[in-house]
Amino acid sequence: MTTVKDMLATYPADLGEIDRAKLTRCIEECVACAQACTACADACLSEGMVGELTKCIRTDMDCADICTTTASVLSRHTGYDANVTRAMLQACATACKACADECGTHADQHEHCRLCAEACRSCEEACQELLGALG
Amino acid sequence: MTTVKDMLATYPADLGEIDRAKLTRCIEECVACAQACTACADACLSEGMVGELTKCIRTDMDCADICTTTASVLSRHTGYDANVTRAMLQACATACKACADECGTHADQHEHCRLCAEACRSCEEACQELLGALG
Amino acid sequence: MTTVKDMLATYPADLGEIDRAKLTRCIEECVACAQACTACADACLSEGMVGELTKCIRTDMDCADICTTTASVLSRHTGYDANVTRAMLQACATACKACADECGTHADQHEHCRLCAEACRSCEEACQELLGALG
Amino acid sequence: MTTVKDMLATYPADLGEIDRAKLTRCIEECVACAQACTACADACLSEGMVGELTKCIRTDMDCADICTTTASVLSRHTGYDANVTRAMLQACATACKACADECGTHADQHEHCRLCAEACRSCEEACQELLGALG
């Protein structure tokens, strides 16, 4: 399958001083986290105790939307604007932390929440690392 | 047509202390700005001088994605998390400012850039006002 | 606020034989329907009887995503491909019908479902009319 | 990283008779194709000959939006509606074919178009296979 790394390697102009490994990982994590959150929201909807999972479902939906948008912003290099990238990475790290915390409270009861919390923690970490590398 | 205000009025739980007028306006501006940015990116693609508009197209695409996600986050009230809302509003204000500035530099040559810059300025202002009201 | 019609009027190239009024209305309906569905899914999550609304929430989420994408595809005119537009309009009409039907079954109990069903019926109709005009 | 297969395995209700391997592959292909198309559109923007790539950029953007939405629809199983899934898979296959064809005409000049065409062909195939399995 075509990978994030493959596509990045074909960009025809200068990428500037960005850390390619951290950028690649961050896009991969955002894409995987968005899918995990969408699937977790839906799995929560099918639990008998859905009434206790409404905050989890909402947080999953926000996190999915924010991760998808962050992956798109990070996949564009033409006319790079560090302010937009930085603000979006901060929003993504915030949403991933909120979702990891919320899913984390149900992780021992719902395997989908446990996996989703892992995806969110991993994505939050990748956003923070890329933020650190942007200076 | 069903309006943002109509839907907000039907929310069955407590909305907390949020300023409904500022929230409504911010969702409306995000939705309108996303459409304007998508249309502006495409109009730029059809200009003869597209080679000089590549930064504008990229900024339009980021702004469209970020405004769409912000509208979705603001349309959800269940399990409200002020940190996520605030971070997304900041990202949206940043993207709208960047896009208004970029489109603004072509506003006298391209009517779509002039209208898009207006939509972005207006959306940026609505995000800042809602941010101010969140405290 | 910048309108769909305003932006369409600034497109710098030939729009072909497309019916501008039907195109404008369809984009407006898709944008309004996406917001209504996102708000309805969240309102359902806050109902005490959320366990009976899980199909409604899911259908709302699909319809919101599909309407947003349809609005974006319809907002682009450069390199027009009738096959893609037609297939997306058919998917959108199908999703809107499914969501109107599902929300319709709760319309007498939940005002948000009543309004959302109206938005979906109206959007389905606009998609069908534009499909008819495309030939 | 959390995988599509991992998340699917945690769904707490009955998935019906759907072919899990074909569903998993189709979601993976949609997610990968969306990222490839977003990156290809941006890479095209940075080519000196951008004026000759405007149809390619537009098709990439449509395909990215449609693949993202298809991945989301396919990641939800609660309240499954075969009509919506089928219509969205048809739209996705149509968009992927259009994008593969368009990128394919530049594949010998631009490595990003060559890789993107591959991603689109592969995603189109996965959509067709899942459509076939749905009956």
Side-chain angles (χ1 to χ4, degrees), chain B residues 1-2 4 6-7 10-12 28-29 31-32 35-36 40 42-43 46-47 68 75-78 111-112 115 119, chain C residues 1-2 4 6-7 10-12 28-29 31-32 35-36 40 42-43 46-47 68 75-78 111-112 115 119:
Chain B
M1 219 172 294
T2 310
V4 173
D6 292 338
M7 290 306 296
T10 68
Y11 186 67
E28 289 169 347
E29 293 284 354
V31 160
Q35 202 276 327
C40 185
D42 180 69
S46 277
E47 294 286 355
T68 297
S75 297
R76 298 179 187 126
H77 314 294
T78 307
E111 185 66 4
H112 48 86
L115 289 178
Chain C
M1 218 172 295
T2 311
V4 173
D6 291 340
M7 289 305 298
T10 67
Y11 185 68
E28 289 169 347
E29 294 284 355
V31 161
Q35 202 277 326
C40 186
D42 180 68
S46 277
E47 294 287 355
T68 298
S75 297
R76 297 179 186 125
H77 314 294
T78 308
E111 185 66 4
H112 49 87
L115 289 178

Side-chain angles (χ1 to χ4, degrees), chain B:
Chain B
M1 219 172 294
T2 310
T3 67
V4 173
K5 195 180 169 188
D6 292 338
M7 290 306 296
L8 192 63
T10 68
Y11 186 67
D14 188 11
L15 280 169
E17 292 183 12
I18 198 147
D19 184 316
R20 282 168 184 251
K22 289 197 169 88
L23 175 63
T24 300
R25 191 196 151 207
C26 196
I27 297 173
E28 289 169 347
E29 293 284 354
C30 284
V31 160
C33 191
Q35 202 276 327
C37 287
T38 299
C40 185
D42 180 69
C44 286
L45 276 182
S46 277
E47 294 286 355
M49 62 187 288
V50 58
E52 296 167 45
L53 295 170
T54 55
K55 183 176 170 56
C56 193
I57 294 168
R58 186 260 156 97
T59 312
D60 277 334
M61 290 195 285
D62 278 3
C63 197
D65 287 344
I66 292 173
C67 285
T68 297
T69 288
T70 306
S72 296
V73 170
L74 293 177
S75 297
R76 298 179 187 126
H77 314 294
T78 307
Y80 175 70
D81 183 322
N83 290 331
V84 175
T85 299
R86 210 176 277 123
M88 205 57 223
L89 282 170
Q90 276 158 347
C92 196
T94 303
C96 286
K97 187 188 179 321
C99 198
D101 288 350
E102 183 60 32
C103 276
T105 66
H106 317 288
D108 55 344
Q109 294 161 77
H110 307 300
E111 185 66 4
H112 48 86
C113 287
R114 193 183 66 72
L115 289 178
C116 189
E118 273 184 20
C120 292
R121 288 271 175 245
S122 191
C123 190
E124 182 199 357
E125 191 184 86
C127 289
Q128 295 290 9
E129 282 190 13
L130 186 56
L131 267 171
L134 293 181

Side-chain angles (χ1 to χ4, degrees), chain A residues 31-50:
Chain A
V31 161
C33 191
Q35 202 277 326
C37 287
T38 299
C40 185
D42 180 68
C44 287
L45 276 182
S46 277
E47 294 287 355
M49 61 186 290
V50 58

